Amino acid sequence: MKKILTIVVPMYNTEKYLKRCIDSLVYDEKIVDLLEIIIVNDGSKDNSLNIAKEYEKKFNGTVIVIDKENGGHGSTINEGLKVATGKYFRVLDSDDWVNITDFSKFVCELKHLDVDLILTNYSRELIFSGEQIKVNYPEKIEYNHIYDLNKFNYDMLDGKYFYMATSTYKTQILKDIKLYLDEKTYYVDMEYNIFPITNISSFIYLDYDIYRYFIGRKDQSISAKSFVRNRKDHEKVIKRLLQFLDNAKLNANKKKYVVGIILQLLNTHYSIYCNTLIDDKSLRKVMKKEIKEFDFYLKNKYADIYNQALESYERIRFNSKTKFRYAVKSNYWLMKIALKFERKKKVNR
Amino acid sequence: MKKVLVISWFFPPINSSEGLVTFKLLKNSRLKYDVFTQKKSKNWAYNDNENKLISKNVSPIFSKCENPSEWIADGVKFFEDNKDKYDVIMTRSMAPESHEIGLIIKKNNPNVKWIASFGDPIANNPFEVLTAEKSPYEVKGQGIENFSLKYIFSIKRVLKNLYWKYRYNKCKHMQKNRDLEKQVLMLADRIILNSEEQKEYMLQGYSKEIADKVVVLPHTFDEDFYNYDLDNDNKKIVMSYIGHCDDIRTPKNLFDAIQRLKEEDINLSKKLEVNFYGNLSVYDKAKIIDNRITDIVNVNKPVSYFESLNIMRKSNWLILIDANLGKIMDKNIFFAAKVADYLGSRRPILGISMLDGPSAKILRETNNILSTFSADEIYMHLKMILEKKYCVGEYDNSKFDAKKVAKDFDKMVNELL
């Protein structure tokens, strides 16, 4: 049977979560044959691979396991895409899962669709409280309406963008642009969110709450400590996106969208350096040097973007004005006090 | 060999998890025991058990004390009057006063071998940390609501904070427990803990010498107590939870999952019956009504131990709900004794717990179902269970068989002597 949806499941040491992830995908027998689930083992050291192979055996023809050396999250998507045969393509991290009811309806609906990108909603599952936070796009964007992305008013997104958790791409588009995500690098989901935009013309927003994004593990790449540890990766991704902005043929509309995302990333990047309490003094010194260098790079090479960042985000503006005097040793409150102090000084002058 | 004196505030016939854990171990041991206990206080216990919990090798000695502080003096006196009879004493941690008795005995009689057995940690008990109320005048940990610098540095706030701490001195109580636990760990000849996770948690900052005294003995089930002929004749899928729930160990997300099941698939929900036996907080009881699931969820009074085992056998699935300690730690270090009894019943278990900890590990090892506290995930598991998509099958529970664990215990006592 022709596969309607390929789901790539990047897997690295997730034996505790994998069953939940795959069980949620294969829950409904009616849709199993329509799915191609590619579990890409990224050199796991725990029992994940054996668990994955059990599913491959049980759901022969639906579940495929690829075992490869560790190459990072991006490498698993690259590998999955190479062998993907489904009409549509999405990624589901192996510690996350899907809402079984909506996923089933979604797959059935895919059979009748022909668009480049399908957006759905997702929920954040807070691991330690059991709370759920639903993430929807603004109401301005109508459900079931096919939009032309070349003419789409991105302001309607209210700062949101096409996330890995919300996006289902037409596989051919990803193959056509030869999507290749950086390997051995964190935060490459941003590349996945942005690179395909060059070739996307149409998208539809469906009222399904599918992805369950499991948040709160300390070893997660979005935890504060991980951001500090992997800050150079974050910088690398920003630089790659800036390069993409230079080289990709984007109309003004799409360009505005990409710039908007890069500005958000810059805000996060400056926050890593300027809003993190670091105990290690030597690390503070190194980080201060790093952010100054990055600031210099951005100011000189991408003056436009830099100026927009200054206009858009208080934190970037403040640190630039104070020449990072409070960087890497201040928390939010200290920075607020320092900001007041700076303003007063200005008035006195 | 002489007898072992066990000092435990709770012991059968009182129906308390603490006492039952001790009883199952002693009953299956080859040694002889006198158990110094009491039968007046039923705090943290549910009534009495029927008189089936007796064993030839175990003789309870009941103190007449009504509160744990009198119990200390009484326990020490009992030992001093009978010290020739015993080579070894074992104390249990709930209530911690039993360990205080052990401590005094050990200090007065250094040659007596002392085994200190812990159910839960006494010091830094995550439950206490989680329920410890913060001073509304405390800056650290942001107990205060007024963040103005004037208020933060005001003498009035500082004095109010000191008075609050004096008045509600839970901190003092926690420090007392820390001191007690430290002394117990230092002076006891052997320390029994129930899981590796508990060991790791309690021994932080202690030397290897202390760690070498630790023996990990898990909670157990006793095969002799089950009626394996019992089976479920109900047409519905019956899921049972047995034990205590409160604001921290709460089934609220399970109730949300059941509500969603009822809303989305009413026919499937009609196949489900969920029974709770034991305490449920008023909020959770109200939630059953608010969620309109009273036709699915039944709340029953606490039952005796043997009745609880029969209920387990008559259930299709057993539900385990652990405390969510996520605010303060990454794993749940508690090993609920009911997990062992559940395993003994050989029924499949749906565990709602943190992803790391003894329960999580056991459920994974025995191929049972483990869910996080996410209502969405619980909902998924419920559907899988009701549609019979999960096949837990027979699992190996021998690690928790009281006979096996008691053998390890006997070996430890013999080595000690």
Side-chain angles (χ1 to χ4, degrees):
Chain A
M1 188 184 275
K2 179 121 181 63
K3 301 292 181 185
I4 193 83
L5 178 65
T6 295
I7 304 134
V8 168
V9 181
M11 177 176 83
Y12 178 70
N13 291 348
T14 46
E15 63 178 5
K16 291 177 193 165
Y17 321 99
L18 186 65
K19 279 188 182 176
R20 174 181 67 191
C21 171
I22 309 299
D23 278 346
S24 72
L25 291 172
V26 297
Y27 164 76
D28 187 351
E29 296 100 346
K30 289 198 295 285
I31 60 160
V32 166
D33 288 340
L34 299 169
L35 302 177
E36 179 182 57
I37 301 165
I38 305 173
I39 306 173
V40 187
N41 181 39
D42 197 23
S44 294
K45 289 168 190 149
D46 64 1
N47 195 37
S48 318
L49 183 60
N50 289 331
I51 299 172
K53 282 186 172 165
E54 276 172 33
Y55 278 99
E56 189 181 36
K57 217 162 125 188
K58 194 171 168 191
F59 296 95
N60 185 20
T62 295
V63 177
I64 301 163
V65 178
I66 298 175
D67 186 21
K68 59 181 258 323
E69 273 181 27
N70 184 267
H73 193 246
S75 72
T76 59
I77 298 171
N78 295 338
E79 284 300 316
L81 184 59
K82 272 185 209 165
V83 297
T85 63
K87 183 180 175 188
Y88 290 102
F89 184 95
R90 73 176 298 155
V91 177
L92 174 66
D93 284 337
S94 51
D95 52 349
D96 300 331
W97 72 98
V98 294
N99 165 10
I100 50 175
T101 318
D102 279 14
F103 180 68
S104 185
K105 290 178 192 163
F106 170 72
V107 174
C108 291
E109 191 154 344
L110 280 183
K111 288 191 276 187
H112 314 293
L113 282 178
D114 191 29
V115 282
D116 298 338
L117 167 67
I118 302 144
L119 292 182
T120 46
N121 299 316
Y122 79 99
S123 291
R124 293 165 176 230
E125 296 282 344
L126 307 184
I127 174 170
F128 289 137
S129 62
E131 280 172 81
Q132 189 182 60
I133 301 168
K134 289 193 186 301
V135 183
N136 293 1
Y137 285 100
E139 282 176 12
K140 286 172 267 184
I141 305 172
E142 284 174 45
Y143 286 122
N144 305 318
H145 177 83
I146 297 178
Y147 288 90
D148 180 347
L149 207 61
N150 294 306
K151 294 173 192 162
F152 179 69
N153 175 11
Y154 288 98
D155 290 337
M156 282 168 72
L157 288 169
D158 285 351
K160 288 188 170 144
Y161 46 91
F162 308 143
Y163 309 105
M164 190 175 259
T166 58
S167 306
T168 304
Y169 293 110
K170 197 180 261 180
T171 310
Q172 197 53 47
I173 287 193
L174 304 183
K175 292 200 174 190
D176 288 347
I177 62 161
K178 295 187 173 62
L179 179 75
Y180 181 82
L181 307 180
D182 251 358
E183 306 210 338
K184 296 197 171 172
T185 307
Y186 287 93
Y187 313 115
V188 287
D189 53 329
M190 295 311 296
E191 298 177 357
Y192 180 84
N193 297 337
I194 293 179
F195 290 170
I197 200 169
T198 49
N199 283 29
I200 293 173
S201 301
S202 57
F203 85 90
I204 191 169
Y205 177 37
L206 300 180
D207 185 14
Y208 295 126
D209 176 18
I210 293 178
Y211 201 101
R212 294 289 178 259
Y213 187 14
F214 197 47
I215 287 180
R217 271 169 41 220
K218 279 193 176 167
D219 55 341
Q220 232 165 3
S221 60
I222 56 158
S223 72
K225 276 187 180 171
S226 298
F227 266 127
V228 172
R229 197 171 48 241
N230 306 314
R231 61 193 185 278
K232 291 306 272 181
D233 282 359
H234 199 261
E235 183 180 311
K236 199 172 155 189
V237 168
I238 291 177
K239 286 182 173 172
R240 197 155 179 237
L241 294 179
L242 288 167
Q243 220 174 14
F244 167 79
L245 195 64
D246 279 349
N247 302 333
K249 285 174 190 157
L250 298 170
N251 65 22
N253 209 26
K254 285 183 177 176
K255 208 166 200 167
K256 190 180 160 196
Y257 167 73
V258 175
V259 169
I261 300 173
I262 291 176
L263 290 179
Q264 287 187 36
L265 280 178
L266 286 173
N267 185 40
T268 307
H269 196 65
Y270 279 81
S271 303
I272 296 170
Y273 286 90
C274 307
N275 196 23
T276 318
L277 287 167
I278 311 278
D279 298 330
D280 184 347
K281 276 188 182 173
S282 61
L283 186 61
R284 272 191 224 166
K285 226 176 173 180
V286 174
M287 283 180 69
K288 201 162 180 172
K289 195 173 161 238
E290 283 171 9
I291 188 66
K292 278 185 171 178
E293 279 170 8
F294 179 78
D295 191 69
F296 182 78
Y297 158 85
L298 195 68
K299 200 189 288 183
N300 285 291
K301 209 161 175 203
Y302 296 94
D304 269 4
I305 301 241
Y306 186 73
N307 289 330
Q308 284 187 58
L310 288 181
E311 268 175 40
S312 311
Y313 293 105
E314 185 188 48
R315 188 168 290 127
I316 304 176
R317 196 161 59 239
F318 169 71
N319 282 290
S320 173
K321 280 184 184 166
T322 59
K323 297 198 167 36
F324 299 95
R325 208 180 317 146
Y326 306 100
V328 207
K329 60 178 176 183
S330 57
N331 67 15
Y332 184 74
W333 289 106
L334 283 174
M335 212 169 84
K336 279 272 179 196
I337 294 166
L339 188 64
K340 263 192 181 173
F341 179 67
E342 285 292 317
R343 277 189 194 141
K344 259 189 188 169
K345 256 191 356 193
K346 226 178 190 180
V347 173
N348 291 341
R349 254 182 255 149
Chain B
M1 192 196 142
K2 291 177 189 173
K3 278 184 180 175
V4 178
L5 175 66
V6 177
I7 300 164
S8 177
W9 176 256
F10 290 116
F11 201 72
I14 286 180
N15 188 15
S16 132
S17 165
E18 172 83 2
L20 291 164
V21 163
T22 313
F23 179 78
K24 281 181 277 182
L25 182 72
L26 305 189
K27 173 187 170 273
N28 288 283
S29 163
R30 293 184 171 222
L31 307 174
K32 292 200 167 178
Y33 300 91
D34 282 345
V35 183
F36 186 75
T37 185
Q38 55 82 40
K39 53 179 174 179
K40 299 218 165 176
S41 170
K42 305 224 166 59
N43 195 11
W44 275 100
Y46 294 116
N47 308 319
D48 279 359
N49 276 295
E50 56 268 56
N51 282 336
K52 290 181 194 168
L53 289 164
I54 42 174
S55 179
K56 275 182 190 168
N57 65 333
V58 182
S59 314
I61 295 154
F62 297 105
S63 159
K64 285 173 187 158
C65 292
E66 289 188 25
N67 67 62
S69 48
E70 288 170 21
W71 152 262
I72 297 175
D74 204 27
V76 174
K77 187 176 177 299
F78 176 82
F79 177 81
E80 293 298 340
D81 293 346
N82 300 280
K83 62 170 133 185
D84 296 338
K85 287 192 206 164
Y86 308 111
D87 296 317
V88 180
I89 60 165
M90 179 167 98
T91 56
R92 284 285 298 172
S93 60
M94 172 99 176
E97 280 78 3
S98 306
H99 277 343
E100 283 190 54
I101 297 174
L103 200 59
I104 296 168
I105 293 173
K106 182 71 182 174
K107 280 180 182 169
N108 295 342
N109 306 273
N111 293 331
V112 169
K113 300 291 180 191
W114 176 28
I115 302 165
S117 173
F118 284 83
D120 295 340
I122 299 175
N124 305 319
N125 187 320
F127 258 102
E128 275 197 344
V129 176
L130 208 60
T131 52
E133 214 179 314
K134 267 182 203 153
S135 159
Y137 312 106
E138 178 69 65
V139 178
K140 207 176 162 189
Q142 296 182 355
I144 60 163
E145 285 176 1
N146 184 349
F147 275 97
S148 73
L149 291 176
K150 197 178 161 191
Y151 179 70
I152 287 172
F153 292 110
S154 71
I155 293 172
K156 199 172 146 190
R157 183 198 66 77
V158 175
L159 289 175
K160 274 186 172 177
N161 193 31
L162 286 173
Y163 176 71
W164 192 94
K165 282 184 178 172
Y166 170 75
R167 182 80 178 75
Y168 305 97
N169 60 357
K170 197 159 189 177
C171 297
K172 233 184 211 174
H173 160 74
M174 284 163 86
Q175 185 56 46
K176 189 189 158 210
N177 282 345
R178 271 195 282 274
D179 293 341
L180 172 65
E181 187 176 282
K182 190 176 176 184
Q183 287 195 64
V184 172
L185 294 178
M186 305 291 264
L187 287 182
D189 297 287
R190 284 288 179 276
I191 299 149
I192 298 179
L193 303 178
N194 53 45
S195 71
E196 290 296 337
E197 288 81 358
Q198 186 191 22
K199 182 178 170 184
E200 190 192 332
Y201 182 77
M202 283 179 63
L203 297 194
Q204 286 171 46
Y206 284 102
S207 66
K208 194 182 168 293
E209 281 164 23
I210 304 284
D212 288 344
K213 294 196 287 186
V214 172
V215 178
V216 174
L217 296 178
H219 292 317
T220 60
F221 66 88
D222 191 322
E223 283 213 309
D224 302 345
F225 293 162
Y226 293 89
N227 180 356
Y228 288 109
D229 294 334
L230 280 176
D231 223 331
N232 173 25
D233 47 7
N234 196 323
K235 279 180 188 159
K236 291 186 174 185
I237 299 219
V238 178
M239 302 181 79
S240 303
Y241 175 89
I242 294 152
H244 180 91
C245 281
D246 50 36
D247 292 342
I248 301 174
R249 189 192 286 152
T250 165
K252 62 179 183 181
N253 289 357
L254 171 68
F255 294 160
D256 284 340
I258 295 171
Q259 182 193 26
R260 187 176 152 197
L261 180 77
K262 196 176 168 184
E263 282 169 3
E264 292 191 5
D265 199 337
I266 188 143
N267 289 329
L268 197 63
S269 74
K270 281 179 184 165
K271 290 184 186 169
L272 178 65
E273 180 180 317
V274 178
N275 295 320
F276 278 76
Y277 297 88
N279 181 65
L280 212 58
S281 80
V282 282
Y283 300 107
D284 289 331
K285 282 179 186 163
K287 198 165 176 60
I288 298 172
I289 299 164
D290 290 348
N291 286 12
R292 296 168 194 268
I293 49 172
T294 46
D295 51 336
I296 299 175
V297 181
N298 306 306
V299 182
N300 304 285
K301 282 183 180 167
V303 290
S304 74
Y305 182 56
F306 283 97
E307 210 178 327
S308 78
L309 300 183
N310 288 343
I311 289 165
M312 288 176 204
R313 283 293 304 167
K314 283 184 196 166
S315 303
N316 299 94
W317 281 78
L318 299 167
I319 302 169
L320 169 75
I321 299 166
D322 271 343
N324 186 356
L325 306 173
K327 280 185 189 161
I328 51 167
M329 55 208 297
D330 290 342
K331 62 174 85 167
N332 186 324
I333 56 148
F334 295 103
F335 177 7
K338 73 164 79 57
V339 177
D341 288 322
Y342 277 9
L343 292 170
S345 76
R346 298 184 191 148
R347 289 292 185 217
I349 304 165
L350 168 66
I352 300 166
S353 181
M354 292 173 77
L355 281 166
D356 287 303
S359 305
K361 199 161 83 184
I362 292 165
L363 292 181
R364 267 190 214 106
E365 280 173 5
T366 51
N367 204 25
N368 278 292
I369 307 301
L370 174 69
S371 174
T372 60
F373 298 96
S374 155
D376 188 84
E377 189 184 349
I378 299 168
Y379 165 78
M380 180 173 92
H381 294 305
L382 285 179
K383 281 201 90 169
M384 300 276 231
I385 287 168
L386 292 172
E387 289 173 1
K388 300 192 175 166
K389 288 186 177 175
Y390 280 141
C391 177
V392 172
E394 285 285 306
Y395 48 74
D396 180 15
N397 57 11
S398 57
K399 229 159 91 176
F400 307 95
D401 188 329
K403 289 184 181 68
K404 191 242 165 221
V405 176
K407 220 180 213 178
D408 296 340
F409 176 76
D410 288 354
K411 195 178 154 206
M412 179 198 76
V413 176
N414 289 328
E415 280 170 4
L416 193 62
L417 292 168

